[in-house]
DNA sequence: GTATGTACCTGTTTGC
DNA sequence: TGCAAACAGGTACATA
């Protein structure tokens, strides 16, 4: 599932692949990924033909492709979204890759938005080249030059919620999903149910430091991959899966203490933790 | 304003 | 063997 490191890998690939290319053809093969473009799939396609890409930007897990008109194509990969860049002659058949939207580019290459589970999507953001209005509510991520760690710690400790919910709150700090939340909690030896307002200031700084570190390490390895659902624009997987200490390790020994890792339900998803290093907080 | 719960999706795995 | 149910989970929206 693409989180910040995976989305950043895709962004870097897109900068190389689409910058200065002109859209000469758009095919919307399934309406769902453009559901947020209220004027409909045909309008989505018509508006983009003739536009020139000027780069690729990101905030948290949102990506956007600024256009020379000042508008942007805003994208979210959701659970299983991928961007692929191919030569038309060598690309795999459309139906084998769940291609939902295809862009013909000047120079002959094809940019495809593929999405098996269709939680992701594309939309046109008018005037959104700099920062789409649709992502204005998303907090800066830990790799953003203007990310304000002190402010995140202050806001986190003021919230009346639990630590894991706070990490996943994209309006507090963006880019973190279930995988890297579990990894950072394991490194910080914290249980996800710990109340944020009982967290010592130094512990909050430590936790957010682990968040940044684990995502930086994942990015350096090209991201994490599961079930080939996440790949870069060339269809290649990252290598960080072997670096995970918590996520997906239910029943395996904790790499710190050897106790078997456990998996628990958490808000319609799951959390994996060490029952010894990450003790459940006392209630009340 | 803030916190929480649910719907949206489909390929794969699990259970009867 | 075959079908149904469970599961994965980020975001938008509804509800409390």
């Amino acid at each position: 599932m693409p989180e910040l490191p995976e989305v950043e890998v895709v962004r870097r690939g897109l900068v190389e692949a689409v910058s200065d290319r002109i859209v000469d053809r758009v095919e919307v093969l399934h309406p769902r990924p453009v559901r947020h473009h209220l004027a409909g799939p045909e309008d989505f396609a018509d508006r983009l033909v003739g536009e020139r890409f000027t780069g690729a930007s990101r905030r948290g897990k949102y990506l956007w492709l600024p256009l020379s008109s000042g508008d942007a194509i805003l994208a979210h990969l959701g659970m299983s979204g991928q961007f692929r860049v191919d030569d038309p002659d060598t690309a795999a058949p459309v139906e084998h890759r769940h291609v939902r939207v295809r862009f013909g580019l000047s120079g002959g290459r094809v940019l495809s938005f593929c999405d098996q589970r269709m939680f992701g999507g594309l939309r046109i953001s008018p005037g959104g080249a700099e920062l789409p209005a649709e992502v204005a509510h998303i907090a800066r991520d830990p790799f953003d030059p203007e990310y304000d760690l002190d402010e995140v710690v202050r806001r986190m400790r003021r919230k009346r919620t639990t630590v894991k919910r706070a990490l996943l709150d994209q309006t507090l700090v963006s880019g973190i999903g279930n995988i890297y939340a579990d990894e950072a909690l394991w490194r910080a030896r914290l249980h996800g149910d710990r109340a944020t307002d009982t967290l010592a200031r130094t512990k909050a700084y430590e936790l957010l430091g682990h968040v940044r570190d684990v995502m930086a390490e994942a990015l350096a390895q090209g991201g994490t991959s599961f079930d080939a659902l996440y790949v870069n624009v060339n269809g290649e997987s990252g290598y960080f899966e072997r670096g995970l200490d918590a996520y997906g390790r239910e029943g395996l020994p904790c790499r710190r203490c050897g106790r078997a890792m456990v998996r628990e339900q958490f808000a319609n998803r799951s959390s994996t933790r060490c029952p010894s290093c990450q003790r459940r907080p006392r209630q009340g």
Side-chain angles (χ1 to χ4, degrees):
Chain A
M1 307 78 197
E3 300 181 28
L4 188 152
E6 293 74 35
V7 178
E8 175 61 15
V9 170
V10 172
R11 188 198 67 81
R12 292 177 183 182
L14 286 171
V15 170
E16 291 294 314
V18 308
S19 291
D20 294 323
R21 302 277 177 178
I22 294 168
V23 179
D24 57 31
R25 184 170 46 87
V26 179
E27 294 172 89
V28 179
L29 302 169
H30 195 294
R32 180 164 170 82
V34 297
R35 63 194 178 281
H36 292 302
H37 185 79
L38 300 180
E42 283 183 25
D43 185 79
F44 177 88
D46 291 345
R47 283 171 184 261
L48 292 175
V49 172
E51 289 272 14
R52 180 170 57 85
F53 290 113
T54 62
S57 303
R58 182 187 58 74
R59 175 174 287 190
K61 303 172 202 170
Y62 279 92
L63 275 172
W64 65 95
L65 300 171
L67 303 167
S68 53
S69 64
D71 297 341
I73 300 176
L74 177 63
H76 198 290
L77 301 179
M79 287 288 295
S80 55
Q82 305 176 354
F83 275 108
R84 302 283 290 271
V85 180
D86 301 291
D87 292 318
D89 300 337
T90 59
V94 163
E95 62 273 19
H96 289 173
R97 290 185 1 202
H98 301 97
V99 176
R100 308 304 186 184
V101 183
R102 248 186 332 189
F103 301 87
L105 305 180
S106 57
R109 282 191 288 187
V110 173
L111 173 68
S112 301
F113 180 75
C114 313
D115 195 356
Q116 178 194 99
R117 296 178 191 170
M118 291 194 288
F119 276 41
L122 304 177
R123 71 181 98 173
I124 297 172
S125 176
E130 201 61 33
L131 178 71
E134 296 86 347
V135 301
H137 66 292
I138 300 294
R140 293 183 186 275
D141 61 67
F143 296 166
D144 189 314
E146 294 183 48
Y147 172 69
D148 186 344
L149 174 61
D150 297 333
E151 177 65 10
V152 173
V153 168
R154 272 194 294 273
R155 287 186 55 207
M156 174 181 276
R157 295 179 69 246
R158 277 204 301 265
K159 289 176 85 74
R160 297 169 65 84
T161 187
T162 57
V163 176
K164 183 159 180 180
R165 285 181 190 278
L167 290 179
L168 295 176
D169 181 352
Q170 304 296 303
T171 67
L172 177 68
V173 52
S174 68
I176 306 167
N178 205 38
I179 298 171
Y180 296 114
D182 277 4
E183 293 303 309
L185 289 167
W186 182 85
R187 290 185 179 201
R189 302 178 192 231
L190 275 174
H191 193 295
D193 286 345
R194 176 71 177 272
T196 49
D197 57 5
T198 67
L199 207 57
R201 188 178 285 103
T202 52
K203 197 66 181 176
Y205 276 101
E206 183 196 330
L207 174 64
L208 289 163
H210 288 310
V211 165
R212 184 199 57 229
D213 291 348
V214 70
M215 292 202 297
E217 290 164 28
L219 178 57
Q221 305 219 13
T224 300
S225 168
F226 294 95
D227 306 328
L229 277 185
Y230 157 70
V231 294
N232 67 15
V233 297
N234 300 313
E236 300 155 346
S237 294
Y239 292 98
F240 192 65
E241 190 169 357
R242 67 192 68 172
L244 296 177
D245 291 312
Y247 188 89
R249 300 197 74 247
E250 179 189 13
L252 296 173
C254 169
R255 292 202 170 115
R256 239 179 345 236
C257 75
R259 280 280 297 278
M261 303 284 286
V262 296
R263 189 168 64 144
E264 294 168 336
Q265 282 305 114
F266 162 79
N268 285 334
R269 36 184 61 68
S270 67
S271 292
T272 306
R273 68 176 175 97
C274 171
S276 179
C277 301
Q278 298 167 268
R279 296 288 175 86
R280 176 175 292 283
R282 278 177 293 192
Q283 302 299 315

